[in-house]
Amino acid sequence: MAAIVVSLASSFVVSSSSPSLLFARFRSAAAVASASSFRLSFAVSPLLSSRRGKLMAHTLAQATLGLTQPAHVDVPKIAFAANDIDLVEWSGDILAVGVTEKDMAKDENSKFQNSILERLDAKLSGLLAEASTEEDFTGKSGQSVVLRLPGIGSKRVSLIGLGQSASTPTAFQGLGEAVAAAAKAAQASNVGIVLASSEGLSAESKLITASAIASGTVLGIHDDTRYKSESKKIALKSVDILGLGSGPELDKKLKYAEDVSSGIIFGRELVNSPANVLTPAVLANEASKIASTYSDVISATILDAEQCKELKMGSYLGVAAASANPPHFIHLCYKPVGGPAKVKLALVGKGLTFDSGGYNIKTGPGCLIELMKFDMGGSAAVLGAAKAIGQIKPPGVEVHFIVAACENMISGTGMRPGDIVTASNGKTIEVNNTDAEGRLTLADALVYACNQGVEKIVDLATLTGACIVALGPSIAGIFTPSDDLAKEVFAASELSGEKLWRMPLEESYWESMKSGVADMVNTGGRQGGAITAALFLKQFVDEKVQWMHIDLAGPVWNDKKKAATGFGISTLVEWVLRNSS
């Protein structure tokens, strides 16, 4: 029989008498290939020092499955400024006015009663009131109109509806997103934003409002086009926020919004990236790049399979065993400059870069196997928060960012239903469903986090479909035995605008998680699936540590936009800052 040739952009030739060697080399080549650029390039082994070796290394670095390489797309850089310039004197492409339904009220002469709109309309010779009536614009949430009217410094005026009232960060972030949409449609390079009614806002509320508007604008203007053959250039360069004051405190808050938004965009891009590009190795390299970028405050430790074996992480390694792409255990540590930390925190994220379900393979309508690239949404939240924290540099708090990255695949080396794995705290788990793999990886990650001497842990995971059934696509479920920790995180989410709902940790449900041959099984019955999953995780957390589990299986992904949301990042950053001195 002729020699077997396997082509992977270059050829590997081995004797037909050694098919196992062929398979091993092919798997090795595929593993190297899949670790190709995600805005990065991997270091090449010194063994490939010859010209031929360098050529082979270059070829492998380009050979992802499908030959897909994400384009390098610069995130738009928008300059934000807050000032009190007269809105009718402001000059630019679009003057956007956020209005409530009450603001749109008119008198018997069809004149605006709101002072801002009245003054603006007077400068426009009544055309604004006339046009808003013709367009049937009433200020309802989701309504917007852009008008090209002569008479003021701005080329266009946009009215954006805020609904019956607007007082939450979510509402003002929505305003920013609507402004971004208008700017993209008009290819505007500079925009001014003003609220028709801001006189009742406190100084603190003005800071929060300006921050939310800025965040919404940045997130709204960004489109992830790295995997498209063509992309439109973003024209928006500057945004002036008018009427909310000015000064160093407001400038600092706008900078904070930019830092958090950059973390959210990073997290979104991680989740959007397909599994043939974002392998565990690439995710680990992205984490290492955060540490190198913010090396004054963040350090990185990346553990390979052998090192994880030394730490007895049998639960995590059991999940990773079937994949040609080896696992990478990620640990970033933030330490503040200028003094010791008064509190130590850990953020732990589920990092399944792809989940096939294993031998309990995902099948049938609604299994979402085609979307299982988002099964690392928890890790994206953790690493997005790390990027933001690296920029903000909060004092007095040490933060550990931990991800057990791997794939859940199928092969002869893989974990089987009925296997028993042993976690790093010595507890044994009978695997009655290989598709309940995320909790197995989190088990060892939580034990590792506790061993760092932290006082509080928040873990985030796309853990259960049951949580989506319970809370729908936009609300994450939180589970914690600590009322104090729940209050902290809820307070952070009120500022971020992300929706959380506290779920019960019903201890009696643990009965369904007991095994006849091991300490526990990894899944209970269909009823209360999100609760039993949280109870499972609780077995791997030290009783002295305050712990919360966030199941973000629903809000990690936006079905309408067919893209990641970056959910959790803003709340995590706010929570860390609340623990900062």
Side-chain angles (χ1 to χ4, degrees):
M1 189 174 177
I4 299 172
V5 178
V6 176
S7 176
L8 187 69
S10 66
S11 295
F12 292 81
V13 183
V14 298
S15 166
S16 60
S17 64
S18 56
S20 60
L21 175 61
L22 167 66
F23 183 63
R25 290 189 180 181
F26 180 77
R27 279 169 57 112
S28 176
V32 175
S34 63
S36 62
S37 174
F38 177 79
R39 298 188 183 174
L40 59 92
S41 60
F42 263 63
V44 177
S45 166
L47 294 175
L48 300 176
S49 56
S50 67
R51 176 180 292 183
R52 181 181 177 189
K54 288 179 180 178
L55 177 61
M56 184 182 294
H58 173 75
T59 303
L60 287 173
Q62 300 303 314
T64 54
L65 187 151
L67 305 182
T68 301
Q69 292 294 318
H72 179 79
V73 180
D74 290 323
V75 175
K77 184 65 177 175
I78 303 170
F80 287 89
N83 56 60
D84 288 319
I85 188 173
D86 190 332
L87 79 161
V88 298
E89 300 297 328
W90 181 87
S91 61
D93 292 322
I94 300 176
L95 176 64
V97 187
V99 297
T100 64
E101 293 178 44
K102 182 180 178 181
D103 295 331
M104 291 300 296
K106 297 170 185 173
D107 61 20
E108 64 275 7
N109 297 316
S110 297
K111 300 294 184 183
F112 287 114
Q113 294 178 320
N114 176 272
S115 59
I116 293 285
L117 294 177
E118 180 188 25
R119 188 158 180 273
L120 191 58
D121 194 41
K123 277 285 184 179
L124 295 169
S125 303
L127 291 175
L128 185 62
E130 183 180 325
S132 66
T133 300
E134 289 180 358
E135 295 289 336
D136 196 26
F137 180 87
T138 60
K140 290 181 180 179
S141 179
Q143 280 189 320
S144 65
V145 61
V146 180
L147 308 166
R148 194 176 185 107
L149 300 172
I152 59 173
S154 177
K155 295 176 183 177
R156 299 175 183 84
V157 175
S158 175
L159 297 179
I160 297 173
L162 299 175
Q164 292 184 346
S165 63
S167 59
T168 65
T170 302
F172 296 121
Q173 185 169 325
L175 170 60
E177 290 173 352
V179 169
K184 281 194 283 190
Q187 283 292 292
S189 62
N190 43 64
V191 172
I193 305 175
V194 64
L195 296 178
S197 299
S198 61
E199 61 276 0
L201 295 175
S202 66
E204 180 64 22
S205 294
K206 287 182 178 181
L207 293 176
I208 294 170
T209 299
S211 176
I213 291 171
S215 177
T217 305
V218 173
L219 297 177
I221 208 70
H222 174 258
D223 288 320
D224 190 356
T225 59
R226 295 167 301 143
Y227 297 98
K228 295 185 178 182
S229 55
E230 295 180 4
S231 61
K232 291 183 180 180
K233 192 171 183 180
I234 300 299
L236 188 61
K237 302 296 181 187
S238 65
V239 173
D240 291 326
I241 297 178
L242 312 173
L244 294 178
S246 59
E249 280 298 308
L250 194 47
D251 292 340
K252 182 180 178 181
K253 197 67 176 178
L254 292 175
K255 176 62 169 58
Y256 170 80
E258 291 181 65
D259 291 340
V260 175
S261 296
S262 73
I264 294 172
I265 289 171
F266 176 69
R268 286 179 175 181
E269 291 187 348
L270 289 177
V271 177
N272 284 337
S273 289
N276 61 324
V277 174
L278 188 71
T279 63
V282 174
L283 185 62
N285 201 77
E286 286 296 306
S288 295
K289 284 164 64 178
I290 294 173
S292 63
T293 302
Y294 309 106
S295 58
D296 57 329
V297 288
I298 296 180
S299 60
T301 301
I302 309 296
L303 305 179
D304 61 22
E306 281 301 313
Q307 291 168 307
C308 291
K309 187 176 179 180
E310 290 173 8
L311 293 174
K312 303 185 185 305
M313 295 183 178
S315 187
Y316 164 48
L317 293 175
V319 176
S323 179
N325 292 310
H328 287 71
F329 191 95
I330 301 164
H331 177 198
L332 301 184
C333 180
Y334 168 85
K335 291 187 177 181
V337 293
K342 294 181 180 179
V343 62
K344 293 183 179 181
L345 311 175
L347 302 178
V348 179
K350 176 182 171 183
L352 268 293
T353 58
F354 186 75
D355 175 22
S356 69
Y359 277 104
N360 292 106
I361 191 169
K362 296 177 184 291
T363 58
C367 73
L368 300 180
I369 192 170
E370 73 282 2
L371 287 177
M372 281 302 108
K373 64 180 183 179
F374 75 39
D375 215 18
M376 42 65 66
S379 68
V382 166
L383 295 180
K387 178 178 173 64
I389 292 297
Q391 296 174 81
I392 298 167
K393 298 176 175 50
V397 61
E398 179 177 307
V399 190
H400 297 264
F401 306 89
I402 297 166
V403 175
C406 65
E407 293 180 329
N408 185 25
M409 301 297 284
I410 301 172
S411 78
T413 62
M415 182 175 63
R416 295 149 295 217
D419 283 356
I420 294 176
V421 296
T422 305
S424 47
N425 65 347
K427 292 188 178 181
T428 58
I429 307 155
E430 180 186 2
V431 180
N432 61 0
N433 191 326
T434 61
D435 195 23
E437 83 302 325
R439 64 198 70 182
L440 296 175
T441 67
L442 287 169
D444 282 324
L446 288 168
V447 172
Y448 182 93
C450 289
N451 290 338
Q452 307 310 307
V454 300
E455 296 150 56
K456 303 173 187 178
I457 297 175
V458 173
D459 80 67
L460 302 94
T462 49
L463 205 63
T464 67
C467 205
I468 304 177
V469 172
L471 298 177
S474 60
I475 304 171
I478 68 169
F479 302 80
T480 179
S482 170
D483 292 340
D484 291 338
L485 184 55
K487 289 176 183 176
E488 287 182 16
V489 175
F490 271 124
S493 72
E494 286 177 7
L495 286 176
S496 72
E498 294 178 325
K499 296 178 181 179
L500 307 176
W501 190 264
R502 191 174 183 183
M503 303 283 277
L505 274 172
E506 178 54 54
E507 292 291 344
S508 67
Y509 288 8
W510 184 248
E511 281 296 315
S512 68
M513 299 293 287
K514 291 182 178 179
S515 165
V517 292
D519 292 332
M520 66 194 83
V521 292
N522 68 325
T523 59
R526 288 178 59 84
Q527 297 178 331
I531 298 173
T532 54
L535 289 171
F536 177 91
L537 297 180
K538 186 171 177 280
Q539 311 308 307
F540 303 93
V541 180
D542 192 307
E543 291 182 356
K544 297 177 182 177
V545 177
Q546 293 185 62
W547 160 76
M548 173 182 286
H549 162 60
I550 301 179
D551 192 331
L552 42 70
V556 72
W557 188 257
N558 186 316
D559 276 329
K560 185 177 180 180
K561 295 181 179 179
K562 293 179 169 44
T565 62
F567 187 93
I569 295 169
S570 182
T571 297
L572 291 181
V573 175
E574 288 285 354
W575 178 64
V576 169
L577 263 63
R578 283 176 172 270
N579 280 274
S580 170
S581 59

